[in-house]
Structure formats: C-alpha cells, structure tokens
Amino acid sequence: MAESFGSDAERYDQARPRYPQAMVDRIATGSPGLAVPDVPDTLDVGCGTGIAARQFQDAGRTVLGVEPDARMAEVARRLGTEVDVATFEAWDPAGREFDAVIAGQAWHWIDPVAGAAKAAQVLRPHARLAAFWNVFQLPPDLAEAVATSYQRAVPDAPFDFRAMTRGGLDANQPILTKAADGIREAGAFGEPEQWRFDWERTYTRDAWLDQIPTQGAFTRLSPAKLAEVLEGVGAAIDAMGGSFTMPYATVVITATRTAA
C-alpha cells in the first residue's frame, strides 16, 4: 500500500489537506536554525509530493526530502523541494546533520525504532524529531456510506473497513503510541510529547470525491470498483446537501535529541 500513493501523485498533491499553521510554526520556530543560505536545516522523511516541506519552507526553513517513490519525488522537486529517493532506513545522509526531522503522514510506514535511531544519527543535539498525522472524523452517515460502498465493491477485503471509517483519535492512538515507544527504545531522545491541533474543513461533494482515491484503502482499486465506491459516497453527500464539515485533529509525536 505504501508504494501505491504515487500512482496519481498530482491528484495526491492537490487533494490532500495541508497542516495547521500553528503546528508548522511551533516546530519551525522551536528548532534552532543554521542561518546558512541554501543549506538544508530540516529533513522531511517520506516527503511525498512535498506538501509539508513547502509549508516549512514558507516558514523560513530549508528542507531536504527523503522519499522512496520516484513519482512522488518528481512532483516534489518540480514544486520546489530537493529530494533524495530512498527509504529512510536505507538513506545515506553523507555526513549531513539537521536541526529538525519531520514526517507528515509517513512515520507509520517506517520501522519506529530504526527510524528514530536514524533520526538521532542526523540530528544535532537538542534538535527536534516531529512526526505528525491529520486525523479526521467522518460524519456518521457519511462514514456508513463509505463503509457500505467499499464493502459492496470489495466484499473480500482483508480488513474491517467499517472499523477503519470510524476514524478519530482513538482509532489512531495505536500508531501514535508505537511512534512514541520507538523513540523511547532508540534511547537518544528526551521523553516524547504528544501535541494536538484541532481544526475543520468544509468539503464539497467533488472535493471529497477527489481526495478518496488518494487514501490508502482506495489507491489499488480497479477503476470500475473505485467508480462504484465514489457513486455511493457521492449520493450520501448529495443527501447531506452537497457538502459537509470535517473535524480534524493534527497530532504530533515529538521529542528532542539529547546532548549525549
């Protein structure tokens, strides 16, 4: 599934939500800066098409991305982010060090202990590791429509999609806990913290249907099965008046590199 997001990298970049400015500012201003022009001070792990990287660049950071999917990396480069194509675990830092390592919607694809150890390797003392996720909660009627449409199209799905559509912070807490435990086990950081930033976004029918194909459970569906899902979800949004407001919580697992 991790390798499927690049199948429509342009749509991914256009449809996926951005991150709250308050979160970007807190990480960017709380990380020491090199103040050396054109020298990357922030490493974006699993940078995808550069969504988070561009936000941090706008906040004054110089960002290098690491991304295993060459299709995603190509879009990120075209939009202004330097990218090395590699998995983070196998990536060669070539002696480079950073004042922040960030990861948006990506850390759960990385071994949590090996990833934290690699981050410690490239972070200067007192620099920050910050992994963050946009967690959303579908309105109940829409969640039911998504689950029903998916299970009708993919009756032999190897997971409980209805449980996945419940979403929310509780459903995602195991990912957050695993990330924090990995940081602790790596042993090179202070105690991890969990930050939360609440916000919301109103989606039109077309805007939400455009995002669905970028989500992991849908990226590998055949065009016919995807069309079946989109038809059912679109009908549900139409029944809601053609739009809905999605509550989001952007959650950060973060820790600072110890001096030793």
Side-chain angles (χ1 to χ4, degrees), residues 2-33:
E3 297 173 349
S4 67
F5 295 104
S7 60
D8 195 349
E10 296 281 357
R11 183 199 295 266
Y12 185 100
D13 190 78
Q14 294 167 10
R16 280 295 184 107
R18 276 42 184 169
Y19 300 99
Q21 192 61 43
M23 182 210 75
V24 174
D25 290 344
R26 184 171 181 183
I27 296 170
T29 60
S31 303

Side-chain angles (χ1 to χ4, degrees), residues 149-161 221 225:
S149 299
Y150 189 90
Q151 292 182 335
R152 182 184 300 121
V154 192
D156 56 348
F159 49 81
D160 183 358
F161 192 78
L221 292 183
K225 289 185 179 298

Side-chain angles (χ1 to χ4, degrees), residues 83-124:
V83 184
D84 289 349
V85 177
T87 63
F88 185 48
E89 295 93 333
W91 172 70
D92 180 7
R96 290 169 289 187
E97 294 184 319
F98 300 86
D99 293 302
V101 170
I102 63 172
Q105 304 293 132
W107 200 253
H108 55 289
W109 299 115
I110 297 164
D111 181 280
V113 180
K118 189 66 166 278
Q121 177 186 345
V122 301
L123 282 170
R124 296 181 178 88

Side-chain angles (χ1 to χ4, degrees), residues 1-9 12 16 67 69 71-72 109 213-221:
M1 189 181 292
E3 297 173 349
S4 67
F5 295 104
S7 60
D8 195 349
Y12 185 100
R16 280 295 184 107
E67 169 56 45
D69 191 318
R71 299 165 298 182
M72 303 282 270
W109 299 115
T214 75
Q215 297 172 6
F218 302 96
T219 53
R220 296 180 295 171
L221 292 183

Side-chain angles (χ1 to χ4, degrees), residues 87-212:
T87 63
F88 185 48
E89 295 93 333
W91 172 70
D92 180 7
R96 290 169 289 187
E97 294 184 319
F98 300 86
D99 293 302
V101 170
I102 63 172
Q105 304 293 132
W107 200 253
H108 55 289
W109 299 115
I110 297 164
D111 181 280
V113 180
K118 189 66 166 278
Q121 177 186 345
V122 301
L123 282 170
R124 296 181 178 88
H126 310 297
R128 181 173 297 282
L129 168 62
F132 43 88
W133 293 264
N134 282 330
V135 178
F136 62 81
Q137 180 70 65
L138 284 168
D141 289 349
L142 184 55
E144 179 64 24
V146 173
T148 299
S149 299
Y150 189 90
Q151 292 182 335
R152 182 184 300 121
V154 192
D156 56 348
F159 49 81
D160 183 358
F161 192 78
R162 194 170 300 277
M164 291 174 61
T165 59
R166 296 190 187 105
L169 193 55
D170 289 346
N172 286 271
Q173 191 59 51
I175 289 175
L176 306 174
T177 299
K178 189 174 182 179
D181 288 345
I183 292 171
R184 292 186 184 99
E185 191 171 337
F189 293 90
E191 178 62 17
E193 300 176 31
Q194 182 168 312
W195 301 344
R196 174 173 174 165
F197 300 83
D198 291 306
W199 54 287
E200 60 183 29
R201 175 177 172 181
T202 297
Y203 285 95
T204 63
R205 177 187 190 275
D206 289 346
W208 184 248
L209 295 188
D210 200 37
Q211 186 179 153
I212 282 180

